[in-house]
Amino acid sequence: MSAPQIEIQLIAAIVAIACAIPGVFLVLRKMALISDAISHSILPGIVIGFFLTEDLNSPLLILLAAITGVITVILVEAIQKTGLVKEDTAIGLVFPALFSIGVILIAKNANDVHLDVDAVLLGELAFAPFDRLLIAGIDVGPKSLWVMSLILSITIGLLIAFFKELKVSTFDAGLSSALGFSPVVLHYGLMSVSSVTVVGAFDAVGAVLVVALMIAPAATAYLLTSDLKKMLMLSIIFGVSSAIIGYWMAHLLDASISGSMTTVLGVVFLVVYLFAPNKGLIAVMYRQKQQRTEVSLLTFLLHLNNHTEESERHINHLQEHINWQRVRSKTVLDLAQKNNMITIVNSIVTLTPKGKEFTDLALEYIVTNKDEKIEHMKDDFFLFRG
Amino acid sequence: MDIQEYFSLVFSDYTLRTITLGTAILGAICGMLGSFAVLRKQSLLGDAISHAALPGIALAFMITGTKDTNLLLLGALVSGLIGTFWIRGMITKTHLKSDTALGLVLSLFFGFGMLLLTFIQKQPNANQAGLDKYLFGQAATLVEKDVTLMAIVTGMCLIIMLLFWKEFKILLFDADYTKTLGFNTRFIDILITFFIVLAIVLGLQTVGVVLMSAMLLAPAAAARQWTNKLSVMIFLAAIFGAFSGVFGTAISASQNNLSTGPVIVLVAAVFVFISFIFSPGRGILFKQIRFWQNRRDLKLQKTLQFMFDIAKGHEDISHPHAIKILNNFQGYTKGSLKKMEEKNWVEVEGQKWSLTHDGYTVAKNLYTQE
């Protein structure tokens, strides 16, 4: 590995961490799309900042752009408050308008500006190491590395200082204001941090891919845990590892680094989405299937309990009466028989004492809706676990 | 070229005519379908889908090796639909919320698309230049064939909308009721979504991935302010969309270095802004005026009530009282007394006022809602 390669990976990892932290809170607060809005609408701020400073990494430009980001949030909220359109429409109206202004500003001044929209949207990490920070004539490393490290340390500092407040206001805004932490202050604090992070990172990974780095690791972690601290840790791990794997994939394919980082993030998310133990797609589908069978079983047992006449309890009658398919009836019958709840003699189904007891308990639960009736059955059945 | 010159050229110049017609049709179809998206609270679906279409364009190019617009748009359509259904899957099957699902699909698909595009650019066959026009759109590349395609899709969409008008409408406002009536809600739902995706894909070439969502939203959001009726809203949205297209093209053609997409979006944003402020029913301006009016009326009524309380103690309700005693009451001003005199609630004589019979009845019934 050459020095620039190490530096690129270092920048990528720091950007990933800096994005993952606010990302977790955005996802939990159902404001993930605000990051998308901010990442687009900072463009006019960047352009104006660039006119003034001629340097994409100058603090003034970052400040101006971050202010544009916060203005976006304020505008969106102002439009929401009028009640004329829904929340998501407000977001969808504000950021394309601001973005358009940015694009037009660039186009009108194309001759004097070395800034093109592609670069803003997509970024180019490969060039990051060439823009060095010189202090008193000594080269101390790439500028964007320093900028992002500064942003990251501010973010971590704020996270540690206000962790409790953030946690409370994220999960229970009412309680938070009752306890005296203003949700509004925390909200705008979080928005400012996100805004600054997006601005700092856009140079490296581009506006759209900042969104991926913010949302994807957090969403992936959210599928695996419900603990805030674990979620933060996991999303940092996902972010950093995807960034580094993505870098090497880009190296291999000779393609855009940010694009391949996002692709790795996407693959990681897809795998977790499918296979996460409790909340993944396969687990959910399996659970739903089980629940369907168990509801059928219960319906079936209640049906048996209601009818003493033999004609109603004939195996073939089930299909007609409860309107089940053949396979479904068979599954339910097998399940009931395996659990010793029914006996079948000459195609006539009869409840066993155990089946009767189970049915009575279930019936009582349905009538009274009290949990203690079925406490001991919860281990065997998905259905009653809520 | 200035705007006047543009309008004189529109009918004679082939390129200008094609582009103007194209953006107008695009604006109209986006406005129409955008109305559904806005009312179904799927405003940002457009944003997600337009980004999700990018890998489809790149893959279509990689597989076929041609730059035929229709083929590329077909790829965009397929990947847009995959994105849409994945979003739905995420929302229904996991506990991730719609904003996260939209953001994920948007950024992940787009990133993958970028990977493919940069990968294609490094490939030896040099045929690939211009794929990135889909990022920001280039109205200037519209040719008659594209406009015909747009017109056909718009026509199809209109026919389907008229055929399924009742179903679309009822699903929009009460999905559960629709289900109990026995309609196949899933099918209707997929039909609407399919057309929304189709409109987005059509717009990619003109306004590009990033600004497509505004094309879909802005005309509908503007139209929503002027009416509470679905048919009127869709009609208005189509008109707003078409005008944004035409004006946007006109402005960008009359200036140097102005790409059409952003200008169209800004024109549409101006429509929204005007609608927000000046619409008579919901607009901010008239709402504020109504608010002030109500406040003034309430003040007058409060003063009247105060007078009534004084007057009702006397046998003769029109017994004159000194104006001075009103000074203790907050709502009283000289202006309000004059207003009340105009309304014939009180009579003022020198330094005395007396309640008229009208004023007495109004005051008596003030809080009884008669």
Side-chain angles (χ1 to χ4, degrees), chain A residues 19-337:
Chain A
C19 288
I21 295 172
V24 165
F25 290 100
L26 290 179
V27 165
L28 287 175
R29 288 164 170 248
K30 305 184 190 97
M31 297 194 308
L33 282 170
I34 282 281
S35 65
D36 181 39
I38 292 178
S39 72
H40 285 82
S41 56
I42 55 174
L43 187 62
I46 291 172
V47 177
I48 294 169
F50 193 75
F51 288 157
L52 298 175
T53 62
E54 300 278 307
D55 175 9
L56 271 180
N57 279 317
S58 101
L60 179 67
L61 177 137
I62 291 183
L63 193 72
L64 266 178
I67 290 172
T68 329
V70 177
I71 289 174
T72 314
V73 177
I74 294 172
L75 261 179
V76 168
E77 278 164 6
I79 293 181
Q80 276 170 32
K81 243 179 228 152
T82 62
L84 295 175
V85 288
K86 301 278 178 323
E87 171 181 13
D88 53 342
T89 315
I91 297 180
L93 287 173
V94 170
F95 83 82
L98 286 170
F99 187 77
S100 299
I101 294 174
V103 173
I104 289 173
L105 276 178
I106 292 181
K108 289 307 274 182
N109 300 283
N111 298 332
D112 351 310
V113 189
H114 299 284
L115 180 72
D116 74 67
V117 190
D118 286 30
V120 174
L121 260 195
L122 311 172
E124 192 44 90
L125 202 51
F127 298 148
F130 298 124
D131 193 6
R132 316 295 297 189
L133 180 67
L134 300 173
I135 296 176
I138 303 160
D139 178 359
V140 287
K143 253 186 200 169
S144 52
L145 183 63
W146 284 97
V147 172
M148 277 322 291
S149 306
L150 183 68
I151 294 174
L152 177 62
S153 39
I154 294 173
T155 310
I156 291 180
L158 287 172
L159 177 73
I160 292 170
F162 296 106
F163 184 75
K164 185 181 61 203
E165 287 83 350
L166 266 172
K167 192 170 170 179
V168 175
S169 77
T170 300
F171 294 108
D172 194 338
L175 177 65
S176 148
S177 53
L179 289 175
F181 317 130
S182 161
V184 179
V185 172
L186 285 168
H187 172 72
Y188 282 105
L190 179 64
M191 287 299 121
S192 312
V193 169
S194 313
S195 199
V196 172
T197 312
V198 170
V199 177
F202 92 94
D203 179 32
V205 294
V208 178
L209 307 176
V210 168
V211 181
L213 276 177
M214 283 203 159
I215 305 179
T220 315
Y222 197 20
L223 286 175
L224 291 172
T225 175
S226 317
D227 181 308
L228 181 59
K229 274 183 195 153
K230 270 189 207 148
M231 186 172 161
L232 277 166
M233 284 315 295
L234 273 177
S235 57
I236 289 173
I237 293 169
F238 284 134
V240 172
S241 49
S242 306
I244 289 172
I245 298 170
Y247 170 75
W248 286 107
M249 194 171 100
H251 191 72
L252 216 67
L253 292 173
D254 191 17
S256 141
I257 297 175
S258 48
S260 91
M261 272 161 60
T262 325
T263 308
V264 175
L265 279 171
V267 173
V268 171
F269 174 75
L270 187 65
V271 170
V272 173
Y273 168 70
L274 291 177
F275 300 109
N278 281 317
K279 300 163 181 169
L281 186 65
I282 292 174
V284 169
M285 301 253 277
Y286 175 71
R287 193 163 55 229
Q288 283 179 350
K289 190 170 164 267
Q290 290 290 78
Q291 285 174 345
R292 217 169 9 240
T293 316
E294 279 160 20
V295 170
S296 305
L297 175 69
L298 206 59
T299 321
F300 170 58
L301 291 177
L302 289 173
H303 177 79
L304 285 182
N305 199 22
N306 273 348
H307 294 284
T308 41
E309 60 273 37
E310 289 202 344
S311 65
E312 287 282 343
R313 291 190 281 128
H314 194 271
I315 285 189
N316 292 334
H317 177 74
L318 285 176
Q319 267 148 278
E320 294 154 26
H321 198 114
I322 321 188
N323 211 3
W324 280 342
Q325 306 288 321
R326 184 175 292 276
V327 184
R328 183 116 173 260
S329 326
K330 185 133 178 49
T331 326
V332 172
L333 271 180
D334 285 349
L335 184 68
Q337 223 171 356

Side-chain angles (χ1 to χ4, degrees), chain B residues 4-64:
Chain B
Q4 255 177 342
E5 204 178 332
Y6 164 83
F7 278 108
S8 61
L9 273 175
V10 148
F11 297 101
S12 54
D13 185 81
Y14 168 79
T15 323
L16 267 188
R17 196 180 53 214
T18 315
I19 296 172
T20 310
L21 205 61
T23 50
I25 293 178
L26 178 73
I29 188 176
C30 282
M32 249 156 51
L33 292 164
S35 306
F36 286 103
V38 167
L39 291 175
R40 283 155 62 88
K41 294 172 198 142
Q42 289 180 329
S43 302
L44 289 168
L45 190 67
D47 194 29
I49 296 172
S50 56
H51 284 77
L54 193 65
I57 294 174
L59 277 176
F61 175 76
M62 283 169 88
I63 293 168
T64 62

